[in-house]
PDB file of all heavy atoms in Angstrom:
ATOM      1  N   ILE A   1      78.790 144.897-150.133  1.00  0.00           N
ATOM      2  CA  ILE A   1      79.902 145.864-150.048  1.00  0.00           C
ATOM      3  C   ILE A   1      80.903 145.509-151.120  1.00  0.00           C
ATOM      4  O   ILE A   1      81.064 144.376-151.534  1.00  0.00           O
ATOM      5  CB  ILE A   1      80.542 145.759-148.666  1.00  0.00           C
ATOM      6  CG1 ILE A   1      81.579 146.855-148.408  1.00  0.00           C
ATOM      7  CG2 ILE A   1      81.162 144.368-148.351  1.00  0.00           C
ATOM      8  CD1 ILE A   1      82.064 146.945-146.952  1.00  0.00           C
ATOM      9  N   GLY A   2      81.619 146.509-151.591  1.00  0.00           N
ATOM     10  CA  GLY A   2      82.622 146.300-152.555  1.00  0.00           C
ATOM     11  C   GLY A   2      83.708 145.434-152.011  1.00  0.00           C
ATOM     12  O   GLY A   2      84.185 145.648-150.898  1.00  0.00           O
ATOM     13  N   LYS A   3      84.114 144.384-152.752  1.00  0.00           N
ATOM     14  CA  LYS A   3      85.116 143.425-152.287  1.00  0.00           C
ATOM     15  C   LYS A   3      86.440 144.105-152.011  1.00  0.00           C
ATOM     16  O   LYS A   3      87.072 143.917-151.004  1.00  0.00           O
ATOM     17  CB  LYS A   3      85.308 142.361-153.368  1.00  0.00           C
ATOM     18  CG  LYS A   3      86.260 141.249-153.022  1.00  0.00           C
ATOM     19  CD  LYS A   3      86.302 140.188-154.108  1.00  0.00           C
ATOM     20  CE  LYS A   3      87.347 139.107-153.868  1.00  0.00           C
ATOM     21  NZ  LYS A   3      86.982 138.196-152.756  1.00  0.00           N
ATOM     22  N   ARG A   4      86.835 145.069-152.916  1.00  0.00           N
ATOM     23  CA  ARG A   4      88.098 145.736-152.676  1.00  0.00           C
ATOM     24  C   ARG A   4      88.024 146.607-151.421  1.00  0.00           C
ATOM     25  O   ARG A   4      89.026 146.733-150.718  1.00  0.00           O
ATOM     26  CB  ARG A   4      88.469 146.646-153.949  1.00  0.00           C
ATOM     27  CG  ARG A   4      89.022 145.791-155.113  1.00  0.00           C
ATOM     28  CD  ARG A   4      89.279 146.692-156.290  1.00  0.00           C
ATOM     29  NE  ARG A   4      88.100 147.398-156.833  1.00  0.00           N
ATOM     30  CZ  ARG A   4      88.053 148.247-157.757  1.00  0.00           C
ATOM     31  NH1 ARG A   4      89.177 148.583-158.319  1.00  0.00           N
ATOM     32  NH2 ARG A   4      86.950 148.786-158.178  1.00  0.00           N
ATOM     33  N   LYS A   5      86.903 147.218-151.260  1.00  0.00           N
ATOM     34  CA  LYS A   5      86.780 148.063-150.068  1.00  0.00           C
ATOM     35  C   LYS A   5      86.854 147.224-148.716  1.00  0.00           C
ATOM     36  O   LYS A   5      87.620 147.561-147.826  1.00  0.00           O
ATOM     37  CB  LYS A   5      85.491 148.841-150.102  1.00  0.00           C
ATOM     38  CG  LYS A   5      85.236 149.768-148.887  1.00  0.00           C
ATOM     39  CD  LYS A   5      86.276 150.911-148.955  1.00  0.00           C
ATOM     40  CE  LYS A   5      86.003 151.992-147.911  1.00  0.00           C
ATOM     41  NZ  LYS A   5      86.116 153.307-148.397  1.00  0.00           N
ATOM     42  N   LEU A   6      86.181 146.153-148.704  1.00  0.00           N
ATOM     43  CA  LEU A   6      86.171 145.290-147.505  1.00  0.00           C
ATOM     44  C   LEU A   6      87.562 144.760-147.274  1.00  0.00           C
ATOM     45  O   LEU A   6      88.090 144.838-146.122  1.00  0.00           O
ATOM     46  CB  LEU A   6      85.169 144.111-147.687  1.00  0.00           C
ATOM     47  CG  LEU A   6      85.064 143.173-146.549  1.00  0.00           C
ATOM     48  CD1 LEU A   6      84.484 143.902-145.310  1.00  0.00           C
ATOM     49  CD2 LEU A   6      84.205 141.979-146.870  1.00  0.00           C
ATOM     50  N   GLU A   7      88.258 144.302-148.360  1.00  0.00           N
ATOM     51  CA  GLU A   7      89.587 143.732-148.119  1.00  0.00           C
ATOM     52  C   GLU A   7      90.649 144.771-147.853  1.00  0.00           C
ATOM     53  O   GLU A   7      91.760 144.485-147.511  1.00  0.00           O
ATOM     54  CB  GLU A   7      89.933 142.885-149.343  1.00  0.00           C
ATOM     55  CG  GLU A   7      89.042 141.641-149.464  1.00  0.00           C
ATOM     56  CD  GLU A   7      89.303 140.731-150.637  1.00  0.00           C
ATOM     57  OE1 GLU A   7      90.056 141.177-151.534  1.00  0.00           O
ATOM     58  OE2 GLU A   7      88.782 139.617-150.680  1.00  0.00           O
ATOM     59  N   SER A   8      90.322 146.063-148.086  1.00  0.00           N
ATOM     60  CA  SER A   8      91.275 147.129-147.760  1.00  0.00           C
ATOM     61  C   SER A   8      91.379 147.377-146.222  1.00  0.00           C
ATOM     62  O   SER A   8      92.296 148.031-145.777  1.00  0.00           O
ATOM     63  CB  SER A   8      90.859 148.467-148.455  1.00  0.00           C
ATOM     64  OG  SER A   8      89.750 149.058-147.797  1.00  0.00           O
ATOM     65  N   MET A   9      90.373 146.806-145.460  1.00  0.00           N
ATOM     66  CA  MET A   9      90.426 146.944-144.040  1.00  0.00           C
ATOM     67  C   MET A   9      91.203 145.862-143.393  1.00  0.00           C
ATOM     68  O   MET A   9      91.258 144.736-143.883  1.00  0.00           O
ATOM     69  CB  MET A   9      88.992 146.945-143.495  1.00  0.00           C
ATOM     70  CG  MET A   9      88.050 148.041-144.081  1.00  0.00           C
ATOM     71  SD  MET A   9      86.368 147.846-143.351  1.00  0.00           S
ATOM     72  CE  MET A   9      85.540 149.160-144.240  1.00  0.00           C
ATOM     73  N   PRO A  10      91.741 146.145-142.199  1.00  0.00           N
ATOM     74  CA  PRO A  10      92.364 145.076-141.436  1.00  0.00           C
ATOM     75  C   PRO A  10      91.353 143.989-141.031  1.00  0.00           C
ATOM     76  O   PRO A  10      90.147 144.245-140.999  1.00  0.00           O
ATOM     77  CB  PRO A  10      92.990 145.757-140.220  1.00  0.00           C
ATOM     78  CG  PRO A  10      92.318 147.095-140.129  1.00  0.00           C
ATOM     79  CD  PRO A  10      91.864 147.452-141.500  1.00  0.00           C
ATOM     80  N   ASP A  11      91.845 142.788-140.750  1.00  0.00           N
ATOM     81  CA  ASP A  11      90.932 141.713-140.430  1.00  0.00           C
ATOM     82  C   ASP A  11      90.007 142.039-139.286  1.00  0.00           C
ATOM     83  O   ASP A  11      88.834 141.644-139.364  1.00  0.00           O
ATOM     84  CB  ASP A  11      91.750 140.441-140.084  1.00  0.00           C
ATOM     85  CG  ASP A  11      92.433 139.828-141.307  1.00  0.00           C
ATOM     86  OD1 ASP A  11      92.121 140.263-142.407  1.00  0.00           O
ATOM     87  OD2 ASP A  11      93.320 138.979-141.067  1.00  0.00           O
ATOM     88  N   ASN A  12      90.487 142.735-138.250  1.00  0.00           N
ATOM     89  CA  ASN A  12      89.564 142.968-137.113  1.00  0.00           C
ATOM     90  C   ASN A  12      88.375 143.823-137.507  1.00  0.00           C
ATOM     91  O   ASN A  12      87.247 143.775-136.995  1.00  0.00           O
ATOM     92  CB  ASN A  12      90.337 143.505-135.938  1.00  0.00           C
ATOM     93  CG  ASN A  12      90.980 144.904-136.209  1.00  0.00           C
ATOM     94  OD1 ASN A  12      91.433 145.165-137.361  1.00  0.00           O
ATOM     95  ND2 ASN A  12      91.027 145.751-135.229  1.00  0.00           N
ATOM     96  N   LEU A  13      88.643 144.876-138.386  1.00  0.00           N
ATOM     97  CA  LEU A  13      87.562 145.715-138.862  1.00  0.00           C
ATOM     98  C   LEU A  13      86.649 145.055-139.860  1.00  0.00           C
ATOM     99  O   LEU A  13      85.400 145.288-139.836  1.00  0.00           O
ATOM    100  CB  LEU A  13      88.128 147.041-139.405  1.00  0.00           C
ATOM    101  CG  LEU A  13      88.823 147.955-138.455  1.00  0.00           C
ATOM    102  CD1 LEU A  13      89.205 149.253-139.060  1.00  0.00           C
ATOM    103  CD2 LEU A  13      87.988 148.206-137.135  1.00  0.00           C
ATOM    104  N   GLN A  14      87.185 144.177-140.670  1.00  0.00           N
ATOM    105  CA  GLN A  14      86.305 143.295-141.539  1.00  0.00           C
ATOM    106  C   GLN A  14      85.355 142.476-140.681  1.00  0.00           C
ATOM    107  O   GLN A  14      84.148 142.384-140.990  1.00  0.00           O
ATOM    108  CB  GLN A  14      87.190 142.408-142.443  1.00  0.00           C
ATOM    109  CG  GLN A  14      87.934 143.091-143.469  1.00  0.00           C
ATOM    110  CD  GLN A  14      88.573 142.088-144.415  1.00  0.00           C
ATOM    111  OE1 GLN A  14      88.004 141.109-144.852  1.00  0.00           O
ATOM    112  NE2 GLN A  14      89.862 142.356-144.776  1.00  0.00           N
ATOM    113  N   ALA A  15      85.916 141.994-139.563  1.00  0.00           N
ATOM    114  CA  ALA A  15      85.052 141.193-138.659  1.00  0.00           C
ATOM    115  C   ALA A  15      83.932 142.055-138.066  1.00  0.00           C
ATOM    116  O   ALA A  15      82.774 141.555-137.904  1.00  0.00           O
ATOM    117  CB  ALA A  15      85.862 140.521-137.566  1.00  0.00           C
ATOM    118  N   VAL A  16      84.244 143.260-137.683  1.00  0.00           N
ATOM    119  CA  VAL A  16      83.234 144.189-137.155  1.00  0.00           C
ATOM    120  C   VAL A  16      82.128 144.346-138.158  1.00  0.00           C
ATOM    121  O   VAL A  16      80.929 144.334-137.824  1.00  0.00           O
ATOM    122  CB  VAL A  16      83.862 145.525-136.785  1.00  0.00           C
ATOM    123  CG1 VAL A  16      82.766 146.613-136.559  1.00  0.00           C
ATOM    124  CG2 VAL A  16      84.753 145.368-135.547  1.00  0.00           C
ATOM    125  N   VAL A  17      82.466 144.650-139.431  1.00  0.00           N
ATOM    126  CA  VAL A  17      81.436 144.849-140.479  1.00  0.00           C
ATOM    127  C   VAL A  17      80.639 143.615-140.667  1.00  0.00           C
ATOM    128  O   VAL A  17      79.403 143.686-140.749  1.00  0.00           O
ATOM    129  CB  VAL A  17      82.186 145.272-141.807  1.00  0.00           C
ATOM    130  CG1 VAL A  17      81.161 145.199-142.958  1.00  0.00           C
ATOM    131  CG2 VAL A  17      82.807 146.625-141.629  1.00  0.00           C
ATOM    132  N   ARG A  18      81.248 142.399-140.717  1.00  0.00           N
ATOM    133  CA  ARG A  18      80.538 141.182-140.922  1.00  0.00           C
ATOM    134  C   ARG A  18      79.586 140.839-139.745  1.00  0.00           C
ATOM    135  O   ARG A  18      78.424 140.443-139.975  1.00  0.00           O
ATOM    136  CB  ARG A  18      81.468 140.061-141.251  1.00  0.00           C
ATOM    137  CG  ARG A  18      82.143 140.119-142.596  1.00  0.00           C
ATOM    138  CD  ARG A  18      82.993 138.917-142.860  1.00  0.00           C
ATOM    139  NE  ARG A  18      83.685 138.930-144.078  1.00  0.00           N
ATOM    140  CZ  ARG A  18      83.155 138.530-145.293  1.00  0.00           C
ATOM    141  NH1 ARG A  18      81.941 138.135-145.317  1.00  0.00           N
ATOM    142  NH2 ARG A  18      83.894 138.557-146.398  1.00  0.00           N
ATOM    143  N   GLU A  19      80.063 141.046-138.619  1.00  0.00           N
ATOM    144  CA  GLU A  19      79.228 140.744-137.369  1.00  0.00           C
ATOM    145  C   GLU A  19      78.040 141.708-137.296  1.00  0.00           C
ATOM    146  O   GLU A  19      76.948 141.332-136.914  1.00  0.00           O
ATOM    147  CB  GLU A  19      80.097 140.728-136.181  1.00  0.00           C
ATOM    148  CG  GLU A  19      81.054 139.496-136.085  1.00  0.00           C
ATOM    149  CD  GLU A  19      82.156 139.686-135.122  1.00  0.00           C
ATOM    150  OE1 GLU A  19      82.039 140.538-134.194  1.00  0.00           O
ATOM    151  OE2 GLU A  19      83.155 138.938-135.110  1.00  0.00           O
ATOM    152  N   ALA A  20      78.328 143.006-137.589  1.00  0.00           N
ATOM    153  CA  ALA A  20      77.262 143.920-137.540  1.00  0.00           C
ATOM    154  C   ALA A  20      76.216 143.665-138.585  1.00  0.00           C
ATOM    155  O   ALA A  20      75.005 143.898-138.431  1.00  0.00           O
ATOM    156  CB  ALA A  20      77.849 145.361-137.731  1.00  0.00           C
ATOM    157  N   ALA A  21      76.662 143.126-139.752  1.00  0.00           N
ATOM    158  CA  ALA A  21      75.713 142.744-140.801  1.00  0.00           C
ATOM    159  C   ALA A  21      74.856 141.597-140.326  1.00  0.00           C
ATOM    160  O   ALA A  21      73.638 141.563-140.601  1.00  0.00           O
ATOM    161  CB  ALA A  21      76.472 142.424-142.095  1.00  0.00           C
ATOM    162  N   ASP A  22      75.452 140.601-139.656  1.00  0.00           N
ATOM    163  CA  ASP A  22      74.640 139.508-139.106  1.00  0.00           C
ATOM    164  C   ASP A  22      73.583 140.047-138.141  1.00  0.00           C
ATOM    165  O   ASP A  22      72.398 139.591-138.186  1.00  0.00           O
ATOM    166  CB  ASP A  22      75.583 138.522-138.356  1.00  0.00           C
ATOM    167  CG  ASP A  22      76.449 137.709-139.305  1.00  0.00           C
ATOM    168  OD1 ASP A  22      76.130 137.659-140.549  1.00  0.00           O
ATOM    169  OD2 ASP A  22      77.426 137.128-138.808  1.00  0.00           O
ATOM    170  N   ASN A  23      73.977 140.960-137.345  1.00  0.00           N
ATOM    171  CA  ASN A  23      73.012 141.569-136.338  1.00  0.00           C
ATOM    172  C   ASN A  23      71.939 142.406-137.087  1.00  0.00           C
ATOM    173  O   ASN A  23      70.792 142.445-136.686  1.00  0.00           O
ATOM    174  CB  ASN A  23      73.734 142.389-135.299  1.00  0.00           C
ATOM    175  CG  ASN A  23      74.551 141.578-134.387  1.00  0.00           C
ATOM    176  OD1 ASN A  23      74.262 140.366-134.159  1.00  0.00           O
ATOM    177  ND2 ASN A  23      75.588 142.107-133.808  1.00  0.00           N
ATOM    178  N   MET A  24      72.378 143.072-138.216  1.00  0.00           N
ATOM    179  CA  MET A  24      71.455 143.847-139.022  1.00  0.00           C
ATOM    180  C   MET A  24      70.308 142.869-139.526  1.00  0.00           C
ATOM    181  O   MET A  24      69.156 143.257-139.642  1.00  0.00           O
ATOM    182  CB  MET A  24      72.203 144.605-140.126  1.00  0.00           C
ATOM    183  CG  MET A  24      71.252 145.257-141.106  1.00  0.00           C
ATOM    184  SD  MET A  24      72.110 146.400-142.233  1.00  0.00           S
ATOM    185  CE  MET A  24      73.406 145.359-142.918  1.00  0.00           C
ATOM    186  N   HIS A  25      70.738 141.678-139.983  1.00  0.00           N
ATOM    187  CA  HIS A  25      69.748 140.732-140.460  1.00  0.00           C
ATOM    188  C   HIS A  25      68.715 140.471-139.425  1.00  0.00           C
ATOM    189  O   HIS A  25      67.457 140.445-139.694  1.00  0.00           O
ATOM    190  CB  HIS A  25      70.483 139.424-140.841  1.00  0.00           C
ATOM    191  CG  HIS A  25      69.585 138.306-141.243  1.00  0.00           C
ATOM    192  ND1 HIS A  25      69.055 138.178-142.518  1.00  0.00           N
ATOM    193  CD2 HIS A  25      69.010 137.277-140.478  1.00  0.00           C
ATOM    194  CE1 HIS A  25      68.252 137.122-142.511  1.00  0.00           C
ATOM    195  NE2 HIS A  25      68.205 136.558-141.337  1.00  0.00           N
ATOM    196  N   GLU A  26      69.167 140.212-138.128  1.00  0.00           N
ATOM    197  CA  GLU A  26      68.201 139.895-137.060  1.00  0.00           C
ATOM    198  C   GLU A  26      67.288 141.076-136.850  1.00  0.00           C
ATOM    199  O   GLU A  26      66.048 140.925-136.668  1.00  0.00           O
ATOM    200  CB  GLU A  26      68.950 139.500-135.884  1.00  0.00           C
ATOM    201  CG  GLU A  26      69.799 138.286-135.958  1.00  0.00           C
ATOM    202  CD  GLU A  26      69.033 137.064-136.428  1.00  0.00           C
ATOM    203  OE1 GLU A  26      67.845 136.868-135.967  1.00  0.00           O
ATOM    204  OE2 GLU A  26      69.545 136.304-137.237  1.00  0.00           O
ATOM    205  N   THR A  27      67.867 142.310-136.790  1.00  0.00           N
ATOM    206  CA  THR A  27      67.088 143.518-136.597  1.00  0.00           C
ATOM    207  C   THR A  27      66.038 143.655-137.718  1.00  0.00           C
ATOM    208  O   THR A  27      64.843 143.885-137.468  1.00  0.00           O
ATOM    209  CB  THR A  27      67.974 144.775-136.667  1.00  0.00           C
ATOM    210  OG1 THR A  27      68.917 144.717-135.563  1.00  0.00           O
ATOM    211  CG2 THR A  27      67.208 146.033-136.494  1.00  0.00           C
TER     212      THR A  27
END
């Protein structure tokens, strides 16, 4: 993901994206 795009989000939404990505790895 673009670093600027990710960091444009509040911390709680960044966490959602990162945790969903971890789960995507398992899937």
Side-chain angles (χ1 to χ4, degrees):
I1 186 170
K3 183 177 174 71
R4 283 180 297 177
K5 183 64 173 225
L6 182 63
E7 292 179 350
S8 74
M9 301 179 182
D11 289 348
N12 63 324
L13 293 186
Q14 289 187 43
V16 166
V17 169
R18 289 184 180 276
E19 289 164 16
D22 288 342
N23 292 333
M24 175 169 51
H25 174 84
E26 299 304 320
T27 298

